[in-house]
Amino acid sequence: VSSVGKVVETGKILIMNRILLGFSNNIDYEISWNQDFFNELILRYKICYEDINRLEEIQSIRDLLITILFCVKNNIGLECHVNNYTALYEFSSLFEYKITHGGTAIRAGIALNIMNKSCAVYLSSYSRDIVNLLPSKIHYLNCSRYTESFPHIIVQYPENTTFNLSGKKIFSPRAERIIFVNDVINENILIDQNIIDSYFPFKVLLISGLNTIKCNSLINKNLNNLNNIIGKSSGKAFTFYEHAGYHNLRIERLVRDFIFPKVNFFSMNEHEFAGIVESYEFIDNPEFLVNSLISLRTRYKFDKILIHTSRWSLLFGNESAKFKICVQNAINISSARMIFGDCLNFADYSNVRNSLEIENRSLEFSKYFNCIGESDFCCLPSYKITLENPTTIGLGDFFVAGFISSLS
C-alpha cells in the first residue's frame, strides 16, 4: 500500500481517508488537435463521406480516422476498444500529445484533492509514468502486479469542427472526446477483497473501471467480490457506481443487471443513458425522461440513478431532493474543469458558481421537475459556458468527485 509516495500499512492511514476510489487507472495520451493535419490524413487514407460509419472492429489508422469522423458527424463522444495495438500507437506517434492520468478513480482523486478532500485510490497499474504523475497529497492502495502501462489515446475535437468529404460537410457544434483503448492490464483487473476489507470502514466507495473486461469468468469473480464488499458496507457507507463505455456489450449487461439494485447511486452520462433507453429524446423532452426513469426503476428496482449531461444533471430515486447539494457541487467542479482544465485550483473551483450564468434552456428543463413537486427528483441546470477550446476530458470524473465529496 502506498501513501503520499511512501509504503505504509493500510491501517495507519485508515482514519485519514474515508473515501475509497476504485478500481482501475491508466496513463492517457491526450492528442493535440490539428485540423490541417487531420485533413491531410483523410486525403492520405482516401476516406470519403460514404465510409463514415460505426465500425465493429478498429484494426488500422484508417479505422481510427473513420471513428473520429463518425463522432464528429454525430456530435458524440465514445470509448472504443482498438483490436490492433500497433496501429493505435502508430496513430498516437503522428501527433504531439500530453501525458496525463486516466481512469475515473484517479481523476476523481485529483478533483477531491483540489477540493481539499482526503481519499485513497485503488491502483490497477503502477508504472513509472504513473508514479511520476501521482499527486503528492493523495493516498494510494497499490494493488497492482503490473509495472508497465498501456496508454489510452484520447482525441478531443473542438466545437464547430468541420470536415468536407466528397463535397459533403460534417459538422459538430459542440466539443467532445473519443477514447481509444487496448489495455491488457485493465482487461484483467481482479478486485482484491482482502485489501478492501483491510481498509474498512470507509464512508464512500466509488465503483468504476470495469468496462475494459471481456472475460465472463473474470467479471463474475469481480461481481462476487463486490457483492461481499457492498454487503459488508450496507448501512455504513454510500456506494456509488459510475458507468462507462463498455468494450463488450454482454459484460455491460451483466454488470448493469448486478449493480443497479445493489448500489446507492448508479451514475452515467447522456451517451450511456441513451444506450440504455435507445434514444436521445430525453435530452430535450422531460416527459420522455420521466417515463424512461420510471420504466427503468420498475425493471431494476434501483435506489437512485444519476444522469449528468451537458445541459442538466438529474438524480432520481427515493428522497433524491435531499442530495441537491451533491448534484450542485458536481456541476460546479465539472464546470470548473471544463474552463480551467489541468490548471484548475481551489480558488477557481470556489468562484465558479458566482462567476457563471445559468443556461436558459437548461433552466426551463429543470423547472419541469420543480413543478412536479416530487422529492424523488432533483434536476439542476448547467452553466452557460462559451469557450473556444473547452476541456472535455475528465468532466464526468470530476462530476463524480463533486458529488461524492458532499456525501463525505
Side-chain angles (χ1 to χ4, degrees):
V1 178
S2 174
S3 174
V4 196
K6 299 179 181 178
V7 177
V8 299
E9 295 176 12
T10 307
K12 291 182 181 179
I13 61 171
L14 184 62
I15 296 174
M16 296 176 62
N17 298 285
R18 304 305 305 277
I19 302 174
L20 180 56
L21 309 171
F23 286 96
S24 71
N25 66 289
N26 55 272
I27 286 296
D28 282 342
Y29 288 177
E30 297 182 10
I31 300 294
S32 298
W33 183 260
N34 184 328
Q35 179 80 44
D36 292 337
F37 186 53
F38 271 103
N39 287 331
E40 180 184 320
L41 289 173
I42 290 166
L43 291 173
R44 184 188 304 176
Y45 287 93
K46 298 181 171 63
I47 298 171
C48 62
Y49 184 86
E50 288 70 26
D51 294 324
I52 304 173
N53 293 291
R54 178 74 186 267
L55 302 177
E56 291 188 10
E57 291 191 351
I58 300 175
Q59 297 279 6
S60 64
I61 291 177
R62 188 175 191 274
D63 291 346
L64 288 160
L65 291 167
I66 288 172
T67 303
I68 294 167
L69 292 169
F70 172 83
C71 290
V72 173
K73 179 183 176 183
N74 294 280
N75 197 195
I76 60 172
L78 285 177
E79 178 166 338
C80 311
H81 175 72
V82 177
N83 302 75
N84 187 331
Y85 177 91
T86 302
L88 178 59
Y89 296 105
E90 284 180 355
F91 175 77
S92 69
S93 69
L94 298 174
F95 300 87
E96 293 182 358
Y97 56 80
K98 180 170 64 172
I99 300 175
T100 63
H101 274 301
T104 294
I106 196 73
R107 278 218 195 89
I110 292 168
L112 287 164
N113 186 51
I114 291 169
M115 293 181 282
N116 293 327
K117 285 282 186 175
S118 182
C119 65
V121 180
Y122 183 111
L123 295 181
S124 62
S125 177
Y126 200 71
S127 69
R128 178 173 295 179
D129 280 339
I130 288 169
V131 172
N132 291 339
L133 288 170
L134 292 178
S136 61
K137 294 182 181 179
I138 304 177
H139 297 290
Y140 300 90
L141 307 183
N142 181 15
C143 314
S144 176
R145 63 182 185 275
Y146 299 101
T147 56
E148 71 270 38
S149 62
F150 294 83
H152 298 192
I153 311 305
I154 304 186
V155 176
Q156 179 178 243
Y157 62 85
E159 63 179 24
N160 300 322
T161 294
T162 304
F163 290 100
N164 288 290
L165 296 95
S166 312
K168 296 180 180 179
K169 184 172 76 171
I170 64 170
F171 169 75
S172 175
R174 188 165 58 90
E176 261 292 359
R177 91 290 181 266
I178 309 138
I179 306 171
F180 294 112
V181 183
N182 185 314
D183 186 345
V184 67
I185 294 175
N186 284 323
E187 284 182 23
N188 291 283
I189 293 167
L190 181 59
I191 297 170
D192 192 323
Q193 188 178 335
N194 292 327
I195 290 179
I196 304 300
D197 286 346
S198 70
Y199 197 74
F200 193 82
F202 39 80
K203 190 167 183 181
V204 182
L205 172 66
L206 170 64
I207 301 167
S208 67
L210 306 178
N211 57 303
T212 57
I213 297 174
K214 298 182 179 65
C215 173
N216 268 17
S217 61
L218 179 59
I219 197 64
N220 285 327
K221 286 179 184 177
N222 280 320
L223 294 181
N224 182 64
N225 288 344
L226 281 174
N227 189 52
N228 295 332
I229 293 165
I230 292 170
K232 184 174 181 179
S233 61
S234 179
K236 302 171 186 175
F238 288 110
T239 48
F240 186 107
Y241 169 78
E242 178 66 11
H243 204 45
Y246 275 72
H247 300 185
N248 183 296
L249 294 180
R250 184 185 69 256
I251 297 294
E252 179 185 12
R253 285 190 292 269
L254 283 172
V255 173
R256 188 199 310 165
D257 291 348
F258 169 82
I259 290 285
F260 249 131
K262 294 285 185 182
V263 297
N264 300 116
F265 303 95
F266 189 109
S267 172
M268 68 187 82
N269 67 27
E270 60 204 77
H271 306 304
E272 292 148 7
F273 187 74
I276 293 175
V277 301
E278 299 181 341
S279 173
Y280 278 92
E281 188 176 344
F282 67 92
I283 291 287
D284 293 310
N285 187 336
E287 291 182 2
F288 181 91
L289 177 57
V290 169
N291 290 334
S292 299
L293 290 169
I294 291 172
S295 176
L296 280 176
R297 183 160 66 173
T298 300
R299 179 180 175 184
Y300 289 108
K301 305 295 188 295
F302 57 75
D303 185 356
K304 295 176 185 66
I305 187 169
L306 177 62
I307 307 167
H308 44 97
T309 81
S310 58
R311 300 181 187 176
W312 46 262
S313 298
L314 180 141
L315 183 66
F316 170 66
N318 187 38
E319 297 186 324
S320 289
K322 290 184 177 180
F323 296 91
K324 180 178 179 180
I325 189 172
C326 297
V327 180
Q328 186 62 66
N329 197 44
I331 293 171
N332 291 348
I333 188 70
S334 57
S335 299
R337 164 77 176 174
M338 177 179 281
I339 297 168
F340 297 102
D342 291 331
C343 298
L344 177 62
N345 58 39
F346 181 78
D348 297 328
Y349 153 68
S350 301
N351 293 332
V352 72
R353 190 171 185 181
N354 296 324
S355 61
L356 295 175
E357 298 178 2
I358 298 297
E359 172 66 51
N360 287 334
R361 182 172 53 175
S362 304
L363 184 60
E364 290 302 315
F365 186 95
S366 63
K367 280 181 179 178
Y368 175 90
F369 295 93
N370 295 333
C371 293
I372 291 176
E374 290 279 347
S375 63
D376 284 0
F377 289 96
C378 176
C379 184
L380 296 177
S382 299
Y383 295 115
K384 183 178 181 179
I385 301 176
T386 304
L387 295 170
E388 185 175 343
N389 294 301
T391 297
T392 60
I393 299 167
L395 297 184
D397 308 328
F398 273 57
F399 183 95
V400 167
F403 191 98
I404 63 180
S405 73
S406 297
L407 290 175
S408 62

